[in-house]
Amino acid sequence: MAVNNIVTMTNHNFELDCKRIHDSLGGLSQLIPSLACLTHLERQQLRETFKAVYGEDLISHLQRYEDELSSSSLNCSALSWWVLDPHDRDAVLAREALQHDETNFKALVEIFVGRKSSHVLLIMQAYQKMFRRQLDQDIINLDPPHPFQKILVALAASHKAHQADVSHHMSKCDARRLYETGEGSLGAVDEAVVLEILSKRSIPQLKLTFFSYKHIYGHDYTKPIKGGKYGQFGKALMVVVKCICNPPHYYAKILYSSLKGETRDTRILARALVSRAEVDIEEIKRVFKEKYEKELIDVISEEIPFGDYRNFLVALASRSK
């Protein structure tokens, strides 16, 4: 079933849209790509209308008809993520990342690096409300300890105590500190300095610092990390720096790996598309084509079995924010 042949939902009659969803039963697959076309405000209004008319939350309804979907519960999860308010979605994704057999640290990094500070505070509030737990405390309490923990705790702190404006002077000073306690030192890297900077600077400020590092020393900050001097801490730091410095490149690689990598993972694919569909999906698609010489939509169509789940992912990837 081609996405183009599906009737797009309208923002003029949400009650009718809700009726089509409520009465769909086995025909829900025809509505899935249409949901991908809605803006955040339209999805919010749709959910509110569904609750008012049918007395049931739209997400609960979608989950209830999970067995009616043709492509497994992954489809239902992706739809639920999409319909949720962004901060509620990130709270759910964070909880899922922490409860995974092996903690999904990359998912947590993407939340703390890719969201504004005001949004991160809402995520933490939503996490506490939903799960009656503190997100940053759950990260601290992970066992066994992992280098990502220190970095994530620092990033969580940065959203609570940073300056709103970026400073070129500060970025140059921080770049020099990173150099002098990293590749410019004789011993091992001083993790404490890295963590201090991560905890006290905003994401835009950190991005400017890494730009200053390249300007001053002639190469990216990731170059000395690759040299091995940073150890296991460096592997975690590498992910964070790449996600901060160039999100489209980071997500293009994530999407390609989830589709064509040795360990393919459609859940990672769905998470990335849902998270970036209203942020920078056009730029990600451009980078994807440059790096892999294929359109993202074409690769999704090649690798995901024909059906409503594929149509939903293609519809998300087809958005222009």
Side-chain angles (χ1 to χ4, degrees):
M1 175 176 51
V3 175
N4 293 337
N5 291 334
I6 298 171
V7 178
T8 302
M9 299 179 75
T10 171
N11 60 357
H12 298 297
N13 194 333
F14 284 96
E15 287 193 17
L16 178 59
D17 295 337
C18 289
K19 185 177 189 306
R20 291 166 61 203
I21 293 173
H22 183 268
D23 298 344
S24 58
L25 294 178
L28 184 59
S29 61
Q30 292 186 330
L31 302 175
I32 288 172
S34 299
L35 284 170
C37 299
L38 299 180
T39 66
H40 167 229
L41 291 177
E42 288 171 335
R43 298 194 303 275
Q44 188 176 46
Q45 187 171 348
L46 182 72
R47 190 177 175 190
E48 291 172 355
T49 303
F50 196 93
K51 177 71 172 179
V53 174
Y54 297 104
E56 180 184 14
D57 185 68
L58 175 57
I59 293 172
S60 299
H61 178 82
L62 292 172
Q63 292 172 339
R64 214 156 45 85
Y65 287 102
E66 177 178 314
D67 292 339
E68 300 293 337
L69 302 174
S70 64
S71 303
S72 85
S73 61
L74 279 174
N75 200 340
C76 189
S77 295
L79 277 169
S80 297
W81 295 342
W82 183 238
V83 174
L84 277 168
D85 283 334
H87 53 273
D88 288 335
R89 175 201 308 152
D90 284 337
V92 169
L93 291 173
R95 186 62 183 159
E96 181 178 298
L98 289 164
Q99 290 186 309
H100 203 269
D101 291 339
E102 291 186 12
T103 303
N104 190 338
F105 288 108
K106 285 187 177 180
L108 294 169
V109 167
E110 290 162 17
I111 289 171
F112 282 106
V113 169
R115 312 295 186 257
K116 294 180 179 179
S117 293
S118 57
H119 186 87
V120 170
L121 295 179
L122 289 174
I123 294 168
M124 291 185 169
Q125 292 170 10
Y127 188 93
Q128 183 176 15
K129 183 178 179 180
M130 289 179 180
F131 309 112
R132 301 187 183 282
R133 307 174 67 91
Q134 298 286 344
L135 175 55
D136 47 357
Q137 196 61 48
D138 278 352
I139 294 172
I140 292 171
N141 292 338
L142 285 171
D143 189 49
H146 192 282
F148 265 117
Q149 278 174 278
K150 303 175 187 178
I151 295 175
L152 287 166
V153 170
L155 291 172
S158 77
H159 287 288
K160 298 177 182 178
H162 69 73
Q163 298 293 324
D165 297 326
V166 296
S167 164
H168 287 271
H169 174 71
M170 185 183 293
S171 73
K172 293 173 183 176
C173 292
D174 286 345
R176 291 191 179 95
R177 285 190 71 199
L178 289 173
Y179 178 84
E180 291 166 1
T181 57
E183 67 173 312
S185 67
L186 296 176
V189 64
D190 191 335
E191 293 183 13
V193 171
V194 177
L195 293 172
E196 179 191 347
I197 291 174
L198 289 178
S199 68
K200 293 183 177 180
R201 308 290 185 256
S202 67
I203 299 303
Q205 182 67 50
L206 289 170
K207 186 172 185 176
L208 186 59
T209 294
F210 297 134
F211 175 82
S212 294
Y213 192 101
K214 183 176 182 179
H215 180 74
I216 295 170
Y217 301 108
H219 55 258
D220 290 330
Y221 181 56
T222 54
K223 182 179 179 181
I225 300 177
K226 292 177 183 176
K229 188 176 182 179
Y230 289 61
Q232 290 299 313
F233 178 79
K235 293 182 179 179
L237 184 60
M238 179 78 77
V239 173
V240 174
V241 173
K242 286 183 175 180
C243 195
I244 289 174
C245 291
N246 200 329
H249 279 261
Y250 172 88
Y251 281 100
K253 185 175 181 180
I254 287 287
L255 289 168
Y256 186 82
S257 297
S258 68
L259 287 162
K260 304 283 279 188
E262 293 181 4
T263 54
R264 302 179 187 185
D265 192 331
T266 53
R267 202 168 188 84
I268 292 176
L269 170 67
R271 186 188 76 225
L273 286 174
V274 168
S275 297
R276 308 309 291 188
E278 294 178 293
V279 181
D280 54 0
I281 190 63
E282 289 181 302
E283 184 66 9
I284 291 170
K285 286 188 289 186
R286 183 189 66 76
V287 172
F288 190 97
K289 186 174 182 180
E290 286 181 358
K291 286 175 66 70
Y292 306 111
E293 299 181 343
K294 280 193 172 185
E295 298 284 356
L296 172 59
I297 292 170
D298 292 340
V299 179
I300 293 173
S301 298
E302 291 170 5
E303 299 297 328
I304 303 299
F306 179 83
D308 49 322
Y309 181 54
R310 185 178 78 179
N311 284 344
F312 179 60
L313 297 180
V314 167
L316 286 179
S318 300
R319 288 178 60 97
S320 56
K321 294 176 64 173

